[in-house]
Amino acid sequence: MDQPLLEGGAMSPRRLFRVLLGLCVGLCLALATQLAAAAAPDGFIIDQGWSFRLLPESAQAAAHPEAAPWLPATVPGTVHTDLFANKLVPDPYMGAPEAGLQWIGLADWEYRTRFDAPRAALSSARSDLVFEGLDTFAEVWLNGEKLLESDNAFRTWRVKVEGRLRAHGNELRIVLRSPIAKLLPRVQAMPHKLAGNYPSPYGDEPKEAMTGNFARKPGYHYGWDWGPRYVTTGIWKRVVLQSWDALRIGDLQLRQDRVDAARADLVAVASLDAVRAGTFSLRLWQTAPGGKRSLAAQQRVILRAGANRVELPVRVAHPQRWFPNGYGAQPLYRYELDVGEGERILARTGARTGLRKVELRRDPDARGRSFYFVVNGIPIFAKGANSIPFDMFQPRVSKAQLRRVLQSAADANMNMLRSWGGGYYESEDFFDLADELGLMVWQDFMFGGGMQPAYDAAFRANVVLEARDQVRRLRNHPSIVLWCGNNEEEIAWKYWGHGKTMKAADAAFADRVWQGYVQLFGADLRQVVAEEGGGIAYWASSPGDDLLDVANTPAGGDMHYWEVWGNPAHPVTKYLEITPRFMSEYGLQAWPVQRTVDAFAARGEQGVATPVIEAHQKFMAGKGNERLMKYVKEEFGEPGDFADFIYLSQAMQAEGIELAALHHRASRPFTMGSLYWQLNDVWPGASWSSIDWFGRWKALHFHARRFYAPVAVAALRDAAGKTTVSLVNDRTRAVQGELRLRIMRLDGTLLRDERKPVALAPLSAAQAALYADADLLGQADPASTVAVFELRTKGEPLSRKVVYFKAAKDIAWPAAALEARLSRAGDGYALALRAEQFARAVWVDFGDIDAVLSDNALTLLPGERVSLRVRSPASLADLRRALRLRSLENVITGRAKTTAAFTKTR
């Protein structure tokens, strides 16, 4: 206890110390708060007290009176998620509610809130209301005064509000119009309609007059072949009130003019909005990857009232350079800019980047032109996948969700993601994670398909402003290595009949449409990237050859290949006949794991043709499950039940994509990229993804970690029975190792065993052998014999590829006799597996228990033992009870599907 006051009111030394300490802390906190308020880039975020309703005069109001009252809303958010939160609609993902929810996209909605203005907003010289994302046709009112009409979900809208704010009770009201109802009269009035993407099966808009490609909003909202049709609307990003007296920092670009091992020459380009002319001081602080902070540049400048642009040169000696995953570390530098007047800091902002040099190489050769990326002088073989939106309703995507999927991509040895153009420009969280994980990003502008009305100058001007917003927002991220104009619009016009049909109907209008396309994607967006992108390359369309006459060609540019899976649905061995410069799309479907299917469909609702399952199968170029069954049957035969169908679809997908990806890698340096379709899911359902909506890995993702390994063997057997063996090395150093070939029967009888030393040059792929079936089999039975190729190298995981001589359904499978032992190991568990005889596509499952395995989708040789790590909150006893093992021979032969023999834990 403190001593009492001394005589005369004096304090004890101990209490005096505490009071003085408290005053110091209070003053420091007050000063810090003042500085933070002056520097805060966010301002006052208006995210509380929102409500919404169906607009009374909306055409849908009479049919849906339940949505007429004012109801609580979440901002950022969407109308679909607000309706669901208020229990007015069912969960849009569970069961098959899609048809009954199409009225939402036809309705007009109203949002409102009240807020008290911060004192700074009332006293400052300038205040802006900033709408970071309004989806899409919005009318904004403040205190009864109309501020804004927006028409682009991808733009930031900024409105001056000084003099319009009250101290208390400001009313902000936003009316959001149905994009379908807004655009349909205009589209229907066109004598010749532009080709759209996927027509609605629900009658909410006519199939011959699709509106999606006229709206600057996420295209996938209108439905895609991996997700539902929910044409949502909403205030999908933050609403912020920003106030300032002297100036505002609009942007800080960290332009990298030169980066090499010796030095990095940067220019910090500050965009400043000054209320008045004056002399100001700029100080740029650098925090190096190790945490050391230093003054990188300073400058006194005279600013004029209005917009100003100031450049501060920065030199970094011996920079720690940023490398893609697998090629080095990802050190990141942080820069903070202070703008002051005298000793007073008026504004502050910061940005983070990685120092690297990125080039897109287009070198001519005898067969066309190359297409590959060079980072810090290293030619990179791009390994990865296409990413799509992470949810139908973007505001509920969490950073934890993004981290789980992007970490999974890096864990699978990926170094590139193509952020596809039919969704939205991803969040800062997405790009921050890509920076940290070394995942290069090929960034599409948001044009996913169908022809755009780019002949309309106002439409193009709107897109250019969108592009400037987004390039400026994202350009400091070292992960971005390419900006691409659109997805598949050029080939749709040239090869899918869109252009031919339009020319036949109205040749003059067709020419106008194409010239508008060339202007937007060949000139306007290219200019934006040249002016704003800091030296990153631009590409007009994917697939394409940057507007050359022929697109989607192996000779140059990038390719999408869909003749496997898509029409005409060739066998997967057709992948071996297509050797592109850069394969940016190809894919095979599969269902997610049983637990994910169980989340939206009861077991009694599960079947190849049941309504709920068909509602979550969105392949629109045919009957999705029929197409999937075709590929399953070709290799594995008829599934016994829906659970078998799930399992076999994953095995087919994994083995087919592995064949293609290894062919691409073995074709280096002619081929320099392999990005399969697709990484993730937008909801739980059948799709081409390797990671489902819950973040669970399909068999494909486990395979991807192996076929994308830096050092790998590719033993690829084609339809004619010819096996080409290639050795691939993505390391920047030479690798020595041993290549082993074993010919064995499925019971383990060894017929041949050969080993030879091999040397792999840096950054290379080289053919090691070529075999006809007879060269490998001799007189052995192709139905009971396999060829096992293994590459062992120091410091790298074993790479194995098994060659089969018959389709799996025609192989004489012996009983694998799988054994398993689960025991505690550290803070997790160890699962020891053994196969008495050959076991293909072994899948380990724990049912409804949360469990993460270090590996899965395995092929075990006769007598082989493997040990897997298991992380789970469940007990050992519960895990043992839930453990199920499934292998291909179980499913094809109909033998027991749950073989599991355990040895007690010591």
Side-chain angles (χ1 to χ4, degrees):
M1 182 178 293
D2 286 338
Q3 295 178 10
L5 287 173
L6 301 180
E7 290 183 5
M11 292 185 184
S12 69
R14 186 175 177 184
R15 173 169 277 188
L16 178 62
F17 174 78
R18 288 189 175 184
V19 170
L20 291 174
L21 179 62
L23 288 171
C24 288
V25 169
L27 287 170
C28 289
L29 287 173
L31 179 61
T33 302
Q34 182 180 359
L35 290 174
D42 289 338
F44 177 68
I45 300 172
I46 304 174
D47 60 356
Q48 300 297 311
W50 285 93
S51 57
F52 82 113
R53 67 174 179 175
L54 180 59
L55 198 67
E57 58 266 31
S58 173
Q60 302 297 313
H64 295 281
E66 70 277 9
W70 287 103
L71 299 162
T74 299
V75 172
T78 71
V79 67
H80 279 76
T81 48
D82 284 333
L83 288 167
F84 176 55
N86 283 280
K87 298 185 168 78
L88 296 185
V89 299
D91 189 322
Y93 291 2
M94 301 300 110
E98 189 176 346
L101 299 182
Q102 295 309 305
W103 66 272
I104 301 170
L106 294 171
D108 298 331
W109 299 90
E110 184 177 13
Y111 281 71
R112 73 178 183 187
T113 190
R114 290 183 178 274
F115 66 94
D116 295 340
R119 184 179 301 174
L122 298 172
S123 60
S124 295
R126 286 282 302 276
S127 286
D128 286 358
L129 265 177
V130 183
F131 302 91
E132 296 180 351
L134 298 172
D135 186 5
T136 292
F137 296 101
E139 300 152 20
V140 179
W141 304 75
L142 177 66
N143 297 328
E145 179 185 359
K146 193 174 190 178
L147 296 182
L148 170 69
E149 285 194 31
S150 73
D151 60 356
N152 191 323
F154 306 124
R155 284 178 59 184
T156 297
W157 303 88
R158 179 178 289 273
V159 186
K160 293 182 179 181
V161 293
E162 60 264 20
R164 298 172 170 174
L165 294 169
R166 306 168 182 160
H168 303 287
N170 293 279
E171 183 184 61
L172 183 60
R173 189 167 68 92
I174 300 177
V175 175
L176 296 152
R177 301 292 178 181
S178 161
I180 298 172
K182 175 89 173 175
L183 294 169
L184 191 56
R186 168 186 163 192
V187 175
Q188 288 180 311
M190 296 175 66
H192 305 292
K193 312 295 191 291
L194 297 182
N197 294 317
Y198 294 108
S200 173
Y202 304 113
D204 51 316
E205 69 177 6
K207 295 183 179 181
E208 70 279 2
M210 289 183 275
T211 61
N213 44 328
F214 291 83
R216 294 309 299 142
K217 75 180 264 90
Y220 78 107
H221 286 172
Y222 295 84
W224 223 270
D225 56 5
W226 34 253
R229 179 182 176 91
Y230 289 133
V231 186
T232 197
T233 187
I235 307 165
W236 74 288
K237 288 192 174 184
R238 301 183 313 171
V239 180
V240 183
L241 176 62
Q242 293 183 350
S243 303
W244 65 98
D245 267 326
L247 58 80
R248 177 180 66 88
I249 305 173
D251 180 61
L252 177 63
Q253 178 187 7
L254 303 172
R255 196 181 73 217
Q256 302 183 28
D257 292 347
R258 167 183 170 168
V259 178
D260 57 31
R263 76 172 198 255
D265 291 336
L266 284 70
V267 178
V269 184
S271 299
L272 306 175
D273 181 4
V275 174
R276 53 177 169 75
T279 301
F280 300 87
S281 61
L282 278 68
R283 291 190 297 176
L284 184 72
W285 298 91
Q286 172 187 284
T287 303
K292 182 180 179 181
R293 191 169 188 262
S294 59
L295 184 63
Q298 59 183 333
Q299 193 175 132
R300 286 182 63 81
V301 295
I302 299 174
L303 302 180
R304 62 179 179 273
N308 296 264
R309 185 175 184 274
V310 180
E311 296 189 355
L312 290 86
V314 177
R315 175 164 291 184
V316 181
H318 305 293
Q320 299 180 54
R321 291 181 292 172
W322 184 95
F323 287 88
N325 185 34
Y327 291 86
Q330 292 78 44
L332 298 168
Y333 288 77
R334 178 156 187 88
Y335 291 89
E336 292 176 324
L337 176 66
D338 293 342
V339 183
E341 191 173 36
E343 296 301 315
R344 182 180 171 215
I345 296 175
L346 302 173
R348 174 181 292 152
T349 194
R352 191 178 73 165
T353 195
L355 306 181
R356 83 285 185 263
K357 180 180 180 182
V358 176
E359 306 166 78
L360 173 63
R361 291 277 178 88
R362 304 287 329 285
D363 303 323
D365 58 29
R367 290 186 281 179
R369 294 185 73 186
S370 66
F371 185 102
Y372 65 98
F373 295 90
V374 178
V375 180
N376 298 328
I378 303 171
I380 306 293
F381 188 101
K383 302 180 294 190
N386 291 258
S387 68
I388 64 169
F390 289 76
D391 197 276
M392 279 304 300
F393 312 109
Q394 191 279 338
R396 66 181 186 178
V397 176
S398 68
K399 187 170 185 178
Q401 181 182 356
L402 293 171
R403 182 180 296 278
R404 181 170 182 173
V405 176
L406 267 62
Q407 183 66 61
S408 294
D411 289 346
N413 294 303
M414 294 184 183
N415 57 39
M416 177 177 278
L417 301 177
R418 174 175 172 246
S419 185
W420 168 79
Y424 45 79
Y425 303 93
E426 284 289 353
S427 65
E428 290 294 323
D429 287 341
F430 175 95
F431 288 98
D432 284 345
L433 289 165
D435 295 345
E436 293 162 11
L437 295 169
L439 295 171
M440 299 181 290
V441 177
W442 166 319
Q443 180 61 57
D444 284 358
F445 286 100
M446 288 302 112
F447 297 93
M451 182 51 74
Q452 306 299 318
Y455 52 83
D456 181 348
F459 180 89
R460 290 200 310 273
N462 193 0
V463 170
V464 165
L465 291 171
E466 163 196 322
R468 289 195 190 278
D469 274 359
Q470 296 298 337
V471 175
R472 287 172 177 173
R473 179 175 73 92
L474 299 174
R475 61 190 171 188
N476 290 329
H477 290 281
S479 51
I480 292 185
V481 298
L482 184 72
W483 286 94
C484 178
N486 67 70
N487 170 78
E488 295 187 344
E489 292 193 9
E490 182 178 346
I491 61 165
W493 182 263
K494 289 180 176 178
Y495 306 131
W496 296 355
H498 295 182
K500 183 179 179 180
T501 301
M502 184 68 76
K503 288 173 188 176
D506 187 334
F509 183 55
D511 182 65
R512 189 170 160 230
V513 170
W514 179 245
Q515 292 308 316
Y517 174 96
V518 172
Q519 179 63 40
L520 178 59
F521 296 108
D524 294 349
L525 291 177
R526 192 184 306 275
Q527 182 177 349
V528 170
V529 174
E531 292 174 352
E532 308 282 5
I536 297 301
Y538 173 79
W539 192 245
S541 181
S542 178
D545 203 2
D546 214 24
L547 283 172
L548 293 183
D549 289 340
V550 179
N552 207 29
T553 168
D558 71 311
M559 282 193 73
H560 295 186
Y561 185 69
W562 285 107
E563 291 184 15
V564 174
W565 178 268
N567 296 318
H570 290 307
V572 294
T573 50
K574 188 71 174 179
Y575 281 135
L576 301 179
E577 300 177 26
I578 308 301
T579 307
R581 296 293 188 164
F582 191 108
M583 188 67 87
S584 48
E585 277 192 27
Y586 63 101
L588 293 165
Q589 250 202 18
W591 280 92
V593 296
Q594 183 69 58
R595 187 180 180 193
T596 295
V597 177
D598 290 344
F600 64 81
R603 288 294 175 98
E605 297 174 314
Q606 296 178 25
V608 173
T610 57
V612 173
I613 292 301
E614 289 208 329
H616 287 254
Q617 167 58 272
K618 292 299 181 181
F619 179 60
M620 298 180 184
K623 294 280 285 183
N625 280 346
E626 289 181 6
R627 180 63 53 87
L628 186 48
M629 186 67 81
K630 170 190 181 297
Y631 279 94
V632 167
K633 284 182 176 180
E634 283 179 355
E635 180 62 28
F636 304 117
E638 184 82 34
D641 56 22
F642 192 70
D644 285 352
F645 184 47
I646 290 173
Y647 166 82
L648 292 175
S649 75
Q650 289 207 19
M652 179 278 299
Q653 179 195 41
E655 294 182 3
I657 298 303
E658 178 173 303
L659 185 77
L662 286 174
H663 168 62
H664 300 151
R665 295 191 67 194
S667 301
R668 179 181 186 150
F670 186 86
T671 302
M672 286 296 287
S674 184
L675 308 179
Y676 63 74
W677 187 270
Q678 65 208 56
L679 177 68
N680 61 300
D681 270 335
V682 77
W683 79 326
S687 84
W688 295 262
S689 74
S690 61
I691 303 173
D692 74 24
W693 182 70
F694 289 100
R696 298 168 185 146
W697 291 20
K698 295 181 183 176
L700 171 56
H701 209 78
F702 289 100
H703 277 242
R705 185 166 57 191
R706 297 190 281 268
F707 64 66
Y708 279 154
V711 179
V713 59
L716 308 175
R717 182 178 180 270
D718 63 20
K722 183 179 67 176
T723 298
T724 304
V725 182
S726 301
L727 306 180
V728 180
N729 179 22
D730 285 346
R731 299 298 189 193
T732 56
R733 63 183 186 276
V735 172
Q736 308 294 320
E738 178 186 79
L739 178 63
R740 184 183 187 186
L741 164 63
R742 280 179 284 177
I743 308 296
M744 65 173 63
R745 294 196 183 104
L746 297 176
D747 64 5
T749 302
L750 193 60
L751 305 178
R752 179 175 167 187
D753 191 349
E754 298 175 357
R755 305 169 189 250
K756 67 175 181 179
V758 291
L760 287 68
L763 303 169
S764 71
Q767 184 174 309
L770 179 63
Y771 301 98
D773 281 354
D775 299 330
L776 294 170
L777 284 169
Q779 300 302 310
D781 179 6
S784 60
T785 307
V786 295
V788 182
F789 293 89
E790 291 179 337
L791 176 62
R792 293 183 181 273
T793 53
K794 186 177 181 180
E796 303 287 349
L798 170 72
S799 178
R800 174 187 290 167
K801 191 72 176 73
V802 179
V803 173
Y804 304 95
F805 300 97
K806 291 282 187 179
K809 62 186 178 183
D810 299 322
I811 290 177
W813 294 104
L818 290 168
E819 297 179 358
R821 174 182 172 176
L822 187 66
S823 58
R824 285 203 170 274
D827 58 355
Y829 301 94
L831 177 62
L833 296 177
R834 181 181 181 277
E836 187 68 31
Q837 302 194 75
F838 194 95
R840 177 174 170 184
V842 175
W843 185 257
V844 182
D845 186 73
F846 289 95
D848 291 336
I849 292 179
D850 287 327
V852 177
L853 286 92
S854 61
D855 208 353
N856 212 335
L858 300 159
T859 291
L860 301 182
L861 303 184
E864 184 176 18
R865 298 177 185 272
V866 298
S867 182
L868 309 181
R869 297 183 308 278
V870 181
R871 290 187 289 109
S872 176
S875 69
L876 178 61
D878 286 345
L879 286 170
R880 282 177 167 173
R881 279 192 294 268
L883 175 62
R884 295 294 181 267
L885 303 179
R886 184 187 292 259
S887 69
L888 200 58
E889 61 89 11
N890 291 150
V891 174
I892 290 178
T893 65
R895 296 189 182 104
K897 301 172 186 175
T898 58
T899 304
F902 302 108
T903 303
K904 289 184 179 180
T905 307
R906 288 178 294 179

